[in-house]
Amino acid sequence: MPFALGREGTRPVFLAPMEDVTDIGFRMLCKRFGASMVYTEFVSAEALVRSVKSTVQKLTISDDERPVGIQIYGRDVAAMVEAARIVEQAHPDVIDLNFGCPVKKVAGKGAGAGMLRNIPLLLEITREVVKAVNTPVTVKTRLGWDQENLIIEDLAEALQDCGIKALTIHGRTRSQMYTGDADWTLIGRVKQNPRIRIPIIGNGDIRSAEDAQAAFERYGVDAVMVGRATFGRPWLFKEIRSLLDTGVKQTLTTDEKIDVLEEQLRINIERIDEYRGILHTRRHLAATPVFKGIPDFRQTRIRMLQAETAAELMEILEYCRELLKNHPSID
């Protein structure tokens, strides 16, 4: 299993699967900076079975990014089984079942975190997918549907009995979406359960190297998974990895960070085309903390997010680089 990575005692740090974020270019950057494992954008089982082109394209993985997981979601047993068989042909290191996505278009239709309202079906899907493929199957889920239904401790045992090889727990309920604080105490209780033998991966509110270190030390998880904090900040993995391995957090200079953002833009343009490559990069430019040191940045940010050509966007990034020489980044 790819969960025992590196030397004994290494604490793995994973890149979470995120729609419109974890494309192959971003995954490769995160891998370079120290991500122990990366995941593709999540894939709709129904769309995959129907051979929807944009969905099938998400299965493209590179040997350079391994170990890599492909995550699927759906609410129909037959579709999930067939999708898992299709995914297996792409040769990922794991097939992950998404029982945690809280967004309305997924959970509202009974898939993703919506499965937390139908545990018998969730377990049936898991059992049947495990039986259908030879690739290790893992699950990502939440604490429960809402605060009145915090079922993760019992669910973890039931999922283990289905034959999954690891469980990722996001420390929120579906009702919380991404608000409030992640509750790691329940993740820790699952990990400390003597009946749990599979690796437990903790997810939620890992925003810094110190957060990752605390998660390992306080809750004893086997790995941590980082999601939204990586937007426009793939070097976060370098910071986490260095603190965990050496006790000293290392990061990039502001110049190096802007170099990475420009590289990400070039990768996306080469991988898709200029227009869509810019769109893929905008989310990261909007979220990156690199430019927070620039006073009165609002108008420049608007120009950045409205840029329609690579040349225009690169010119704005270089302008920001010059501004930051006098106003260092606070990232």
Side-chain angles (χ1 to χ4, degrees):
M1 281 300 294
F3 301 105
L5 295 168
R7 65 184 186 280
E8 186 177 355
T10 295
R11 293 167 285 186
V13 183
F14 298 169
L15 172 66
M18 292 174 285
E19 179 70 1
D20 293 328
V21 176
T22 53
D23 53 53
I24 192 167
F26 187 62
R27 298 197 304 267
M28 294 289 281
L29 283 175
C30 292
K31 173 65 70 171
R32 182 201 306 171
F33 286 116
S36 308
M37 184 167 177
V38 296
Y39 289 77
T40 65
E41 302 170 75
F42 57 69
V43 176
S44 163
E46 297 281 356
L48 196 56
V49 170
R50 297 198 315 271
S51 300
V52 175
K53 184 179 178 181
S54 60
T55 300
V56 173
Q57 289 174 339
K58 293 179 181 180
L59 303 186
T60 301
I61 57 178
S62 164
D63 284 341
D64 292 335
E65 61 180 311
R66 293 188 184 279
V68 57
I70 296 178
Q71 187 186 71
I72 60 175
Y73 71 93
R75 61 179 182 179
D76 178 78
V77 177
M80 287 289 279
V81 166
E82 181 61 21
R85 288 177 172 143
I86 294 169
V87 165
E88 189 166 48
Q89 295 172 20
H91 306 295
D93 294 279
V94 301
I95 297 172
D96 193 65
L97 307 184
N98 179 329
F99 299 139
C101 179
V103 300
K104 187 175 182 179
K105 70 176 183 178
V106 175
K109 295 179 180 178
M115 294 299 304
L116 291 167
R117 303 184 84 175
N118 191 343
I119 298 305
L121 179 58
L122 182 157
L123 295 176
E124 182 184 2
I125 287 173
T126 306
R127 280 192 297 269
E128 293 305 314
V129 169
V130 168
K131 287 193 295 186
V133 296
N134 294 316
T135 304
V137 175
T138 61
V139 163
K140 186 171 189 285
T141 190
R142 291 189 166 223
L143 304 178
W145 180 260
D146 55 30
Q147 288 300 121
E148 286 68 50
N149 294 278
L150 299 175
I151 61 171
I152 190 59
E153 291 180 84
D154 291 336
L155 179 59
E157 290 192 41
L159 285 167
Q160 177 177 263
D161 291 343
C162 291
I164 68 169
K165 300 303 183 183
L167 174 63
T168 301
I169 305 170
H170 182 106
R172 289 182 173 86
T173 64
R174 189 274 170 176
S175 296
Q176 283 181 272
M177 300 294 287
Y178 296 104
T179 63
D181 296 327
D183 180 1
W184 278 73
T185 58
L186 279 174
I187 300 175
R189 275 159 53 179
V190 172
K191 174 57 190 171
Q192 298 307 316
N193 180 347
R195 293 184 293 276
I196 292 293
R197 302 177 302 278
I198 58 175
I200 299 299
I201 303 152
N203 174 227
D205 294 351
I206 302 295
R207 302 186 182 100
S208 68
E210 292 79 8
D211 290 338
Q213 184 179 54
F216 280 114
E217 292 177 353
R218 294 176 189 169
Y219 305 104
V221 290
D222 297 284
V224 298
M225 182 176 283
V226 191
R228 290 169 295 154
T230 63
F231 291 7
R233 195 181 168 204
W235 51 83
L236 177 59
F237 288 100
K238 177 182 178 67
E239 297 175 358
I240 295 174
R241 192 75 268 152
S242 60
L243 182 63
L244 293 176
D245 292 347
T246 70
V248 178
K249 182 170 72 174
Q250 301 173 356
T251 190
L252 306 184
T253 66
T254 298
D255 263 350
E256 288 171 332
K257 290 172 183 176
I258 294 176
D259 288 343
V260 172
L261 295 175
E262 291 180 345
E263 180 182 0
Q264 188 174 356
L265 174 63
R266 287 192 295 270
I267 290 171
N268 284 335
I269 289 173
E270 290 170 6
R271 187 178 60 86
I272 321 172
D273 56 47
E274 184 172 36
Y275 176 71
R276 289 182 297 162
I278 289 171
L279 291 182
H280 264 255
T281 311
R282 277 181 185 171
R283 177 191 293 262
H284 295 275
L285 295 178
T288 185
V290 171
F291 306 118
K292 288 183 179 178
I294 299 175
D296 304 318
F297 182 62
R298 184 172 181 272
Q299 288 304 315
T300 304
R301 184 177 185 272
I302 290 172
R303 285 179 52 225
M304 184 183 293
L305 299 182
Q306 290 178 341
E308 294 184 354
T309 68
E312 182 184 3
L313 188 48
M314 291 291 277
E315 182 180 342
I316 295 169
L317 288 171
E318 287 303 311
Y319 171 71
C320 291
R321 188 194 299 271
E322 289 302 311
L323 290 177
L324 284 167
K325 289 180 179 178
N326 297 318
H327 303 280
S329 169
I330 62 172
D331 174 31

